[in-house]
């Protein structure tokens, strides 16, 4: 008869960012444990709060399924000795399976007999198997861990309680130094310890102690309460998804409320106010119906509405202290001069192995000047890039950014405008940080994009040059993110900049502060990011063929990968690719520098291919270029059907190989077609 299993682990408060991943991990590892142990179930439900992780298995079988397994052993000639007795090899084989030689039978495979044994294992009762639940809890992994008291083991937080119920039957288990029971802790202030009678009563029992165990229910409560405040106060609330998920994992019994602050603080830049509320205090931002910021905020209390007015006052007091800091820095920073701040950057370390921020900015300025030309910027845009590159890190030394580092670049733009800098320059100062996440917003202006590229390129090349190269998942300086930003910017702006040529030219630059090194590793690193941008939906062979193309223009490569991926689903793809692949493979045998001689052509098909190659000018979109190459398939096939390339006459052979080599030179600007798989 199927039963329900409940496992709850009670802990000290977990960091909010750990709660949801740990809940998901618990469900996944429990499912894997049950599958590995042949215990079937209907479904798995997971629960979490800042002080607990729990899983309920619905419809758990009361016994393992029986197991019948065949094992192949040594051949008969090895299993039997000269007297016909079972050898030590055969005896050791069956002993390892928990059987005896009496269980041996011989089966013939491809004309030779082998030892076989069949092992029957009767399924154990679920109770016996579930003693392994502690292994599931031990297998959870966390980004940080700690040990406590005199224990040597480490876990995310100290463990206080453990519950393992099979329906209403409490199982005896030990995890770390905790023995399982029925007791779960209620809300830290409003609730008490409570006994969980059965797996089915879990949520209701905790709800009576002011704990909403289901995070989906807590989230729904928070959203409903905020919407009610919106309706009552006639305001709009930005329910940011990331903030909502964080707040959700800070509370066990949510109650949303609105607080306020003085109108005078609205004179501070909106970004400062939003950062103070959202990033520092975990408050939701309030706006009026026109979208204008209001002197209000919404917070979520971990508790009920009792004495909520005191909670509101306390939160207002904490926020005002933050806003006072913001107002002070906003006023004082405007007294500073950009030139003075830039000069001081010579004393600020970019990295101890790389040098100062001034030296970093000097290299970025040179790279930005080179990129401006390559990107086809106007004289005015080039001048704006140069000015932005000369000052763009100055805001790091302002009081505001020192207190609110999330505002770097943002405050740089505002202070630059106040100092009379051109809008284009100010915008670039803000945009050079973009994208600040894997899929974050990109710069919108050409000037900002060039500065962002230059900054990220020097960061990448500098860290590689001093040996600080990411390995495995280790990437402390976020170089993968920076490189993905480079790739995304080049793709979005569609600049005709060859990445290998760009990197090669950068390595020829000379700086007093640093010499770039590890060029091949840098290119491999960039290739890996481009391949990642292509996505897993693009087959591996297509990704490799595009990466092996002779023209490393990011936007072109990504477009070709998408085009070939779509084309591979069509019936004509196989024959077209095979024709081009044959050309690539034979052209590899060509001697360099052989000029094509029309006098050596011996048939019309040879002449037709040579003419087609001569007239081939790959132009238009990636789709157009692929179509132009695929259109050559009949001409190529006719050539091979009527022409022997590898003839004894070396002059004729080299002439034909030269035609094929000329085609490869053009086709390889799109992809290395011989790497494509048509099977």
């Amino acid at each position: 008869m199927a039963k329900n299993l409940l496992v709850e682990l009670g802990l000290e408060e977990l960091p909010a960012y750990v709660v949801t991943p740990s809940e998901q991990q618990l469900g996944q590892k429990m499912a894997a444990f049950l599958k590995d142990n042949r215990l079937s179930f209907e479904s798995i439900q997971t629960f979490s709060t800042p002080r607990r992780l729990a899983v309920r298995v619905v419809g758990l079988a009361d016994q393992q399924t029986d197991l019948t397994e065949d094992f192949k052993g040594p051949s008969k000639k090895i299993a039997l000795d000269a007297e016909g007795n079972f050898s030590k090899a055969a005896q050791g084989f069956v002993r390892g399976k928990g059987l005896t030689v009496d269980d041996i039978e011989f089966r013939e495979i491809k004309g030779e007999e082998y030892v076989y044994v069949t092992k029957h294992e009767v399924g154990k009762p679920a109770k016996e198997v579930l003693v392994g639940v502690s292994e599931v809890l031990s297998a959870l992994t966390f980004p940080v861990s700690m040990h406590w008291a005199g224990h040597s083991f480490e876990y995310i937080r100290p463990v206080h309680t453990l519950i393992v119920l099979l329906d209403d039957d409490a199982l005896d288990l030990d995890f770390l130094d905790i023995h399982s029971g029925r007791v779960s802790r209620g809300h830290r202030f409003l609730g008490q310890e409570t006994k969980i009678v059965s797996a089915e009563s879990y949520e209701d029992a905790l709800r009576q102690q002011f704990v909403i165990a289901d995070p989906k229910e807590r989230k729904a409560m928070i959203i409903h309460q905020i919407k009610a405040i919106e309706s009552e106060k006639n305001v709009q609330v930005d329910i940011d998804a990331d903030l909502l998920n964080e707040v959700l994992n800070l509370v066990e019994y949510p109650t949303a409320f609105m607080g306020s602050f003085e109108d005078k603080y609205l004179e501070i830049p909106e970004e400062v106010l939003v950062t103070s509320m959202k990033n520092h205090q975990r408050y939701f931002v309030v706006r009026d119906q026109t979208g204008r910021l209001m002197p209000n905020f919404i917070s979520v209390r971990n508790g009920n509405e009792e004495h909520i007015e005191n909670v509101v006052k306390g939160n207002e007091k904490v926020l005002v202290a933050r806003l006072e800091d913001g107002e002070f820095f906003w006023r004082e920073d405007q007294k500073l001069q950009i030139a003075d701040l830039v000069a001081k950057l010579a004393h600020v370390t970019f990295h101890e192995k790389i040098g100062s921020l001034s030296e970093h900015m000097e290299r970025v300025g040179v790279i930005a000047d080179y990129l401006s030309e390559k990107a086809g910027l106007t004289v005015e845009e080039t001048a704006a890039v140069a000015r932005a590159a000369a000052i763009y890190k100055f805001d790091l030394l302002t009081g505001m950014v020192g207190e609110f580092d999330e505002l770097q670049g943002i405050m740089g733009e505002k202070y630059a405008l106040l100092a009379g800098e051109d809008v284009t320059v100010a915008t670039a100062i803000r945009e050079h940080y973009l994208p600040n996440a894997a899929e974050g917003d990109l710069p919108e202006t050409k000037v900002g994009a060039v500065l962002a590229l230059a900054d990220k390129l020097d960061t990448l090349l500098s860290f590689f040059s001093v040996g600080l190269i990411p390995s495995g998942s280790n990437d402390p300086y976020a170089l993968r993110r920076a490189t993905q930003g480079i790739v995304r910017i080049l793709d979005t702006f569609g600049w005709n900049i060859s990445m290998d040529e760009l990197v090669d030219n950068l390595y020829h630059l000379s700086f007093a502060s640093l010499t770039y090194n590890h060029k091949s590793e840098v290119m491999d690193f960039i290739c890996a990011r481009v391949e990642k941008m292509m996505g897993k939906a693009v087959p591996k062979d297509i990704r490799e063929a595009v990466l092996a193309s002779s023209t490393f223009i990011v936007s072109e490569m990504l477009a070709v990968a998408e085009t070939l991926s779509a084309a591979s689903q069509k019936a004509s793809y196989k024959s077209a690719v095979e024709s081009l692949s044959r050309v690539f493979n034979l052209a590899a045998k060509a001697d360099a520098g052989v000029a094509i001689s029309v006098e050596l052509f011996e048939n019309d098909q040879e002449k037709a291919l040579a003419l087609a190659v001569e007239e081939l000018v790959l132009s238009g979109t990636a789709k157009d270029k692929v179509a132009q190459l695929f259109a050559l398939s009949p001409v190529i096939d006719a050539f091979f059907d009527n022409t022997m390339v590898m003839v004894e006459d070396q002059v004729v052979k080299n002439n034909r190989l030269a035609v094929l080599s000329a085609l490869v030179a053009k086709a390889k600007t799109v992809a290395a077609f011989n790497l494509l798989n048509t099977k």
Side-chain angles (χ1 to χ4, degrees):
M1 180 179 175
K3 297 182 178 180
N4 294 336
L5 170 70
L6 174 72
V7 179
E8 187 208 57
L9 191 64
L11 311 104
E12 284 294 336
E13 270 85 355
L14 298 170
Y17 73 95
V18 169
V19 177
T20 298
S22 299
E23 174 198 343
Q24 295 169 345
Q25 191 183 164
L26 176 58
Q28 293 162 359
K29 290 190 181 295
M30 179 61 76
F33 168 77
L34 297 174
K35 182 179 180 181
D36 291 345
N37 285 276
R38 309 192 315 276
L39 278 174
S40 62
F41 58 91
E42 294 176 9
S43 63
I44 284 185
Q45 302 168 340
T46 56
F47 307 91
S48 64
T49 75
R51 302 174 73 211
R52 74 201 73 233
L53 298 170
V55 59
R56 180 165 57 208
V57 182
V58 178
L60 181 68
D62 58 5
Q63 185 171 328
Q64 286 179 310
T65 55
D66 294 341
L67 179 66
T68 300
E69 231 176 329
D70 286 341
F71 297 96
K72 178 188 174 186
S75 64
K76 186 174 183 178
K77 60 186 178 184
I78 296 175
L80 298 177
D81 60 22
E83 288 76 33
N85 299 316
F86 286 110
S87 64
K88 289 184 178 180
Q91 294 175 34
F93 169 69
V94 295
R95 188 165 53 249
K97 306 302 179 187
L99 302 170
T100 69
V101 293
D102 295 334
D103 298 304
I104 288 178
E105 61 175 299
F106 292 100
R107 300 181 191 175
E108 186 176 310
I109 300 177
K110 296 182 179 179
E112 186 169 1
E113 290 188 280
Y114 289 85
V115 167
Y116 266 87
V117 292
T118 301
K119 186 175 182 179
H120 301 283
E121 186 178 323
V122 178
K124 298 177 183 178
K127 274 189 178 182
E128 292 185 27
V129 178
L130 292 176
V131 296
V133 163
S134 58
E135 299 173 9
V136 175
L137 302 176
S138 298
L140 297 182
T141 58
F142 308 98
V144 293
S145 58
M146 61 181 291
H147 59 80
W148 57 95
H151 307 302
S152 60
F153 54 77
E154 293 187 351
Y155 213 60
I156 180 64
R157 288 291 184 269
V159 178
H160 290 288
T161 61
L162 173 63
I163 297 174
V164 185
L165 299 180
L166 193 58
D167 277 352
D168 57 359
D169 188 8
L171 306 186
D172 289 327
L173 273 93
D174 289 303
F175 175 63
L176 302 181
D177 59 347
I178 303 297
H179 187 73
S180 63
R182 292 181 178 272
V183 175
S184 181
R185 299 176 302 163
H187 190 280
R188 184 177 287 278
F189 304 111
L190 301 176
Q192 301 175 345
E193 290 186 343
T194 182
K195 285 188 176 181
I196 307 299
V197 177
S198 68
E200 292 81 2
S201 65
Y202 179 64
E203 300 104 296
D204 289 339
L206 287 178
R207 188 176 286 104
Q208 293 175 24
Q209 301 304 323
F210 297 93
V211 172
I212 307 300
D214 186 349
K216 294 186 291 296
E217 183 179 349
R218 286 204 309 282
K219 179 181 284 190
M221 288 175 65
I222 294 170
I223 294 173
H224 175 76
Q225 292 167 2
I226 292 176
K227 292 295 183 183
I229 294 173
E230 277 186 317
S231 177
E232 178 187 351
K233 304 294 185 180
N234 191 32
V235 296
Q236 297 183 73
V237 180
D238 177 17
I239 306 180
D240 180 88
D242 292 336
L243 178 58
L244 177 61
N245 287 331
E246 184 175 6
V247 169
L248 163 72
N249 291 323
L250 290 171
V251 300
E252 292 194 310
Y253 193 88
T255 298
F257 61 88
M258 178 185 279
S260 62
F261 53 87
E262 291 184 51
D263 287 353
K264 69 174 185 177
Y265 295 114
L266 292 176
E267 297 176 9
I268 305 172
E270 180 175 311
E271 292 86 350
V272 178
L273 297 176
V274 171
T275 298
S276 298
M277 289 187 278
K278 179 181 172 182
N279 295 10
H280 291 260
Q281 300 306 129
R282 310 302 186 263
Y283 296 162
F284 294 93
V285 174
V286 179
R287 300 180 184 276
D288 64 19
Q289 294 300 332
T290 67
R292 185 177 62 88
L293 196 67
M294 294 186 66
N296 298 97
F297 64 89
I298 287 181
S299 183
V300 179
R301 178 194 191 182
N302 184 23
N304 58 15
E305 293 186 351
E306 189 172 345
H307 304 302
I308 194 71
E309 62 279 357
N310 292 334
V311 177
V312 174
K313 290 178 182 177
N315 279 268
E316 290 174 343
K317 186 176 181 180
V318 171
L319 178 60
V320 165
R322 276 282 178 185
L323 298 183
E324 283 288 333
D325 289 342
E327 185 182 42
F328 171 79
F329 292 128
W330 173 241
R331 184 175 61 251
E332 293 299 307
D333 284 346
Q334 292 180 58
K335 300 175 183 177
L336 303 173
Q337 299 295 315
I338 291 179
D340 295 338
L341 295 174
V342 170
K344 291 179 181 178
L345 290 174
H347 306 292
V348 179
T349 301
F350 180 54
H351 187 277
E352 59 182 3
K353 291 186 176 182
I354 297 174
S356 70
L357 271 173
S358 284
E359 291 169 328
H360 168 59
M361 289 171 63
E362 177 190 352
R363 295 191 298 272
V364 168
V366 175
I367 296 172
D369 184 59
Y370 174 79
L371 287 172
S372 295
E373 180 183 352
K374 287 293 181 181
L377 267 58
T378 65
V379 174
E380 292 78 13
E381 289 169 335
T382 300
V385 168
R387 176 56 183 168
I391 66 172
Y392 74 105
K393 292 290 188 182
F394 79 88
D395 66 328
L396 295 180
L397 294 181
T398 61
M400 187 74 82
V401 173
E403 180 70 14
F404 303 98
D405 59 358
E406 306 96 324
L407 296 178
Q408 57 188 355
I410 295 172
M411 296 313 301
E413 177 185 38
K414 294 187 178 300
Y415 292 145
L417 289 172
L418 288 173
E421 295 288 344
D422 187 81
V423 173
T424 307
V425 172
T427 302
I429 291 172
R430 171 177 54 81
E431 290 186 331
H432 92 270
Y433 283 104
L434 304 179
N436 52 19
E439 300 301 325
D441 294 337
L442 293 169
E444 294 182 359
T445 68
K446 291 180 181 179
V447 173
V450 166
L451 184 60
L453 278 176
D455 181 78
K456 290 169 173 56
L457 280 166
D458 179 68
T459 299
L460 174 65
L461 271 57
S462 296
F463 277 96
F464 268 69
S465 296
V466 296
L468 297 174
I469 302 173
S471 59
S473 60
N474 184 36
D475 188 13
Y477 304 108
L479 298 183
R480 289 189 181 91
R481 187 179 71 191
T483 308
Q484 185 156 341
I486 293 169
V487 172
R488 289 184 61 207
I489 290 171
L490 287 172
D491 178 44
T492 299
F493 281 83
W495 283 324
N496 191 35
I497 299 175
S498 177
M499 202 68 217
D500 50 356
E501 179 186 327
L502 168 62
V503 172
D504 189 58
N505 284 330
L506 295 185
Y507 270 83
H508 283 90
L509 297 175
S510 178
F511 304 105
S513 56
L514 184 75
T515 299
Y516 290 146
N517 268 309
H518 298 281
K519 182 166 66 174
S520 62
E521 288 93 334
V522 166
M523 284 308 303
D524 289 343
F525 195 73
I526 294 172
C527 281
R529 295 302 98 194
V530 175
E531 183 174 9
K532 182 178 175 63
M533 279 284 290
M534 291 178 186
K536 292 183 178 180
V538 176
K540 188 174 188 296
D541 64 306
I542 292 178
R543 298 200 302 267
E544 291 176 348
V546 174
L547 288 171
S549 64
S550 59
T551 305
F552 202 147
I553 297 174
V554 171
S555 57
E556 183 77 7
M557 295 171 79
L558 295 175
V560 169
E562 183 179 350
T563 298
L564 287 175
S565 185
S568 67
Q569 305 302 311
K570 299 178 181 179
S572 58
Y573 178 79
K574 185 176 186 297
S575 60
V577 168
E578 287 177 348
S579 298
L580 288 166
S581 181
R582 191 174 179 185
V583 171
F584 270 72
N585 293 333
L586 273 171
K589 302 175 183 179
D591 292 334
V594 175
I596 299 172
S597 175
V598 296
E599 289 79 10
L600 294 173
F601 294 153
E602 296 180 351
N603 58 56
D604 291 340
Q605 291 77 18
E606 192 174 3
K607 295 175 184 176
L609 179 60
L611 180 61
V613 172
E614 182 182 354
E615 293 179 345
L616 179 64
V617 179
L618 295 172
S619 60
T621 65
K623 188 175 181 181
D624 294 333
K625 293 177 182 179
V626 170
Q628 290 162 24
L629 287 169
F630 280 9
L632 293 178
S633 182
V635 182
I636 295 171
D637 292 344
F639 168 80
F640 283 124
D641 289 343
N642 294 275
T643 311
M644 174 67 72
V645 177
M646 307 303 287
V647 293
E648 292 185 10
D649 188 327
Q650 293 297 308
V651 175
V652 173
K653 180 187 76 172
N654 289 336
N655 194 59
R656 290 169 179 168
L657 288 173
V659 173
L660 300 181
S661 185
L663 176 53
V664 167
K666 293 183 177 182
K668 200 174 181 182
T669 62
V670 177
F673 287 88
N674 57 321
L675 298 181
L676 295 175
N677 184 9
T678 58
K679 295 180 180 178

